[in-house]
Amino acid sequence: MLAYKKTPPELWSGRTSEQKLYLHEKVHCGTIDKIEIAENQKTIVLLGYACDEGVKRNQGRIGAVNGPDTIRQSLGKFPNHLEDDLQFIDCGTILCPEGKMEQAQEDLSQTIAQLLSLNTFPIVLGGGHDIAFGHYQGIKKHLGNKKIGIINFDAHFDLRLNTSGNTSGTPFYQIAQECQKEGTVFNYMCLGVRRDANDKTLFEKADSLNVKYLETAHFNMHYLEHVQLILMQFIEDVDYVYTTIDLDGFSSAYAPGVSAPSPMGFAPNIVLESLRVIIDSKKLISLDIAEMNPTYDSDGQTAKLAASLVHYVMHHK
């Protein structure tokens, strides 16, 4: 049985108007089993993934289980520039009771496949980066044999071996193993990866799996044209793009509220420019935000960053 909770409407709050000027006035809180989509109506759906069991197993700082609702609370206060006829639905949150992360990932997978079958654009709020395995599996269920490209904004490859179990550090290795079993290509790009956050075996693993990546030193506005070019080349070779943003990839100057903070991360401007390229390709099928950890946030700064990223995607998709 699906471990799940509906989002209480009162979680969405902010300034009030009579013109739906703010997102808390635009959103409709529904349930997964009762989503009604009008034919040919553009629909954006928010889904939470309240799980940091993978972070715990990966010896990180727990607290990301509360990330989804914290991002919602911040996002609700943002201005609404969406078209009047666009549906914006919050369909609740997948839970992870008793540390059963693999079941939470399967629940997420089934839900993503369902949302995509309804022709919606899902944005998933995490939660640890184990979100990526369930999210990808759901996209795969929906698309079948189409070529899926994964673009990960992250300090870490998250290609750790899962011989001792699955964690928030193993999702892309797990996906690579699935691709190997199926005889399909593992199309994975990691932007903003850091030498001081990955040991040499992870770089060797990335190279052996033909992972495309840019280190932080070259993932900034000084190299914008280069970043845009490699993104366009990567996107050209796939049918659809799944994008995942790990907030710990940002410098802790922008994102202190994460499971693994560092001052050496990237800045928001290069991520926004990269998202513009991805969105303009018309191949973006789904997106998630991972590792929002409100326990360690400062003045809601990381939550505002996460909400700003969601706001940008919503208004440009």
Side-chain angles (χ1 to χ4, degrees):
M1 183 176 177
L2 181 70
Y4 163 83
K5 69 173 182 178
K6 180 181 177 182
T7 302
E10 57 268 24
L11 191 69
W12 291 85
S13 64
R15 292 177 183 268
T16 57
S17 71
E18 296 181 0
Q19 303 168 272
K20 295 186 177 179
L21 296 179
Y22 302 96
L23 286 177
H24 75 91
E25 299 174 307
K26 174 75 170 177
V27 70
H28 168 71
C29 293
T31 58
I32 293 171
D33 59 340
K34 294 182 180 178
I35 294 180
E36 296 183 4
I37 308 298
E39 189 174 357
N40 298 322
Q41 185 169 24
K42 185 176 179 182
T43 305
I44 294 172
V45 175
L46 284 189
L47 175 67
Y49 176 77
C51 176
D52 59 6
E53 174 65 20
V55 176
K56 181 180 178 182
R57 296 180 190 180
N58 202 31
Q59 302 175 34
R61 307 192 301 180
I62 61 172
V65 65
N66 298 313
D69 283 352
T70 303
I71 298 172
R72 287 179 170 110
Q73 288 174 316
S74 183
L75 184 61
K77 299 173 175 60
F78 276 56
N80 168 36
H81 301 286
L82 300 170
E83 301 94 331
D84 290 342
D85 62 349
L86 182 146
Q87 288 191 112
F88 176 36
I89 300 173
D90 181 343
C91 70
T93 299
I94 303 293
L95 305 177
C96 179
E98 301 175 3
K100 296 178 180 178
M101 184 187 80
E102 286 77 10
Q103 183 59 54
Q105 289 174 316
E106 177 58 25
D107 290 344
L108 175 60
S109 169
Q110 297 286 355
T111 304
I112 288 295
Q114 176 189 346
L115 293 175
L116 291 174
S117 72
L118 294 171
N119 199 33
T120 71
F121 178 71
I123 299 176
V124 191
L125 310 176
H129 215 171
D130 40 278
I131 194 174
F133 183 69
H135 197 162
Y136 175 86
Q137 291 294 92
I139 297 170
K140 183 71 176 173
K141 282 184 174 76
H142 175 69
L143 292 179
N145 294 325
K146 299 291 186 181
K147 292 173 66 177
I148 305 167
I150 304 167
I151 298 177
N152 178 27
F153 296 90
D154 202 342
H156 309 93
F157 284 118
D158 288 342
L159 287 169
R160 293 186 179 280
L161 303 182
N162 64 340
T163 48
S164 299
N166 304 319
T167 74
S168 62
T170 66
F172 303 109
Y173 177 76
Q174 292 174 257
I175 294 171
Q177 294 299 102
E178 292 289 320
C179 290
Q180 187 176 35
K181 290 177 188 175
E182 297 165 357
T184 57
V185 177
F186 178 49
N187 295 295
Y188 175 42
M189 171 178 280
C190 189
L191 299 173
V193 72
R194 300 202 324 265
R195 290 270 166 184
D196 64 346
N198 300 267
D199 64 44
K200 66 179 182 179
T201 65
L202 291 169
F203 277 91
E204 291 167 357
K205 175 60 67 178
D207 290 337
S208 71
L209 293 171
N210 197 30
V211 174
K212 311 295 188 300
Y213 60 89
L214 270 183
E215 295 184 43
T216 310
H218 295 98
F219 186 58
N220 57 61
M221 294 298 288
H222 295 293
Y223 294 90
L224 177 59
E225 289 187 8
H226 177 59
V227 173
Q228 291 172 325
L229 178 61
I230 67 161
L231 269 169
M232 288 187 287
Q233 289 173 336
F234 179 82
I235 293 169
E236 186 177 359
D237 289 336
V238 299
D239 299 315
Y240 293 91
V241 172
Y242 154 49
T243 297
T244 177
I245 304 173
D246 189 327
L247 293 169
D248 74 20
F250 291 93
S251 167
S252 53
Y254 305 103
V258 296
S259 302
S262 171
M264 301 304 290
F266 45 71
N269 53 5
I270 190 62
V271 174
L272 292 176
E273 289 293 337
S274 300
L275 286 172
R276 184 175 60 80
V277 174
I278 296 168
I279 293 168
D280 286 350
S281 74
K282 307 299 183 185
K283 293 184 178 182
L284 179 61
I285 190 169
S286 196
L287 175 137
D288 62 48
I289 307 279
E291 301 289 353
M292 171 65 223
N293 191 330
T295 303
Y296 300 97
D297 207 2
S298 174
D299 196 28
Q301 186 175 349
T302 314
K304 291 171 188 173
L305 172 61
S308 293
L309 293 166
V310 173
H311 187 270
Y312 181 88
V313 173
M314 288 172 59
H315 286 82
H316 291 82
K317 179 68 174 75

